[in-house]
Amino acid sequence: MLNPIDDLRFYFLGLLVSPKIFVEIYQGLLRSIKGAQENLPFLRVLVQFFPPALVSSFRFHYSLCYGFLCWLSRKKYEPDLPDGASIPFMNKSDYQTAFIMLLLMLLVEVPISSFAFGFSIKDPIERHWAHVLMITISIYTLILVLGDRWKLKNQHHQLDRNFLYLRCADRFFADIPVEQIKNIAIFKEELEKWKLAKRKLNFSFEIVSPCSLVDKPNLIIELVESSTLHVKRKSLKMSAPKYILLFVDEPSQTQSLIANSLTHHVEV
């Protein structure tokens, strides 16, 4: 039984959460009705009811699991990009080192945690299910990492006369018109200080790197503010940020390449 204080806390929490739930349901109904009016298939109308972030999360995880199956079958990933200048970012990346460290952590964590459960959980049934849950999470994490690595290993950005195509596995996807690029420069600032300063100024930004823990951005792209330009982050469509921080193998060469393309558009 709850005492009066706990009871009040419980209802107060409900008052905070309930409006958001009702708003999500209302917006979901509006999306579904709009989809039905556009004569979309029933399944797509049904999907429209769920929050976009939830649907995108399922798509993102599905894509990574599919990548894992392709990795198992040794299928080579071939980026679907038009002809243009390639902008590689994996040749000088420390992603491979971080990937090996993650595998070692998983291999070490499982036996240590299993050993620790024997002392912390006395009930054999609870200990059994704790082991099952831990092993399931570890295996699923490994599947996601390998699926991400399959697509990332042979991927690159690309530039043609009209668009800058940014691809970083399924984490980030953008087709940016060249005329929407306001400026491009080598990024030499300390990342954490720069991020703090931009947050204070309410500027949005996105870091596009194979592994942000070890591959710090070395190129910054400033975009023209536009309500029509969108990007995808983990399969979720969102408005393009003000700044995109990139890690590339050759920042100076990439800067010159994009700057020349900008100059050409200005002249035209």
Side-chain angles (χ1 to χ4, degrees), residues 98-149:
F99 173 75
I100 294 173
M101 290 177 62
L102 178 61
L103 290 183
L104 291 175
M105 288 173 59
L106 287 174
L107 292 175
V108 172
E109 176 68 20
V110 171
I112 291 179
S113 298
S114 299
F115 183 73
F117 282 151
F119 294 97
S120 59
I121 303 176
K122 300 302 181 183
D123 186 271
I125 297 178
E126 291 182 0
R127 187 165 61 244
H128 168 75
W129 285 111
H131 284 147
V132 170
L133 180 62
M134 180 197 62
I135 292 173
T136 301
I137 293 174
S138 299
I139 292 175
Y140 188 63
T141 301
L142 184 60
I143 289 173
L144 297 183
V145 170
L146 290 172
D148 178 75
R149 181 179 178 273

Side-chain angles (χ1 to χ4, degrees), residues 3-4 39 87 89 92 115 134-135 169 232 250:
N3 61 46
N39 295 321
I87 304 175
F89 56 81
K92 295 186 178 180
F115 183 73
M134 180 197 62
I135 292 173
K232 285 186 179 180
E250 302 293 343

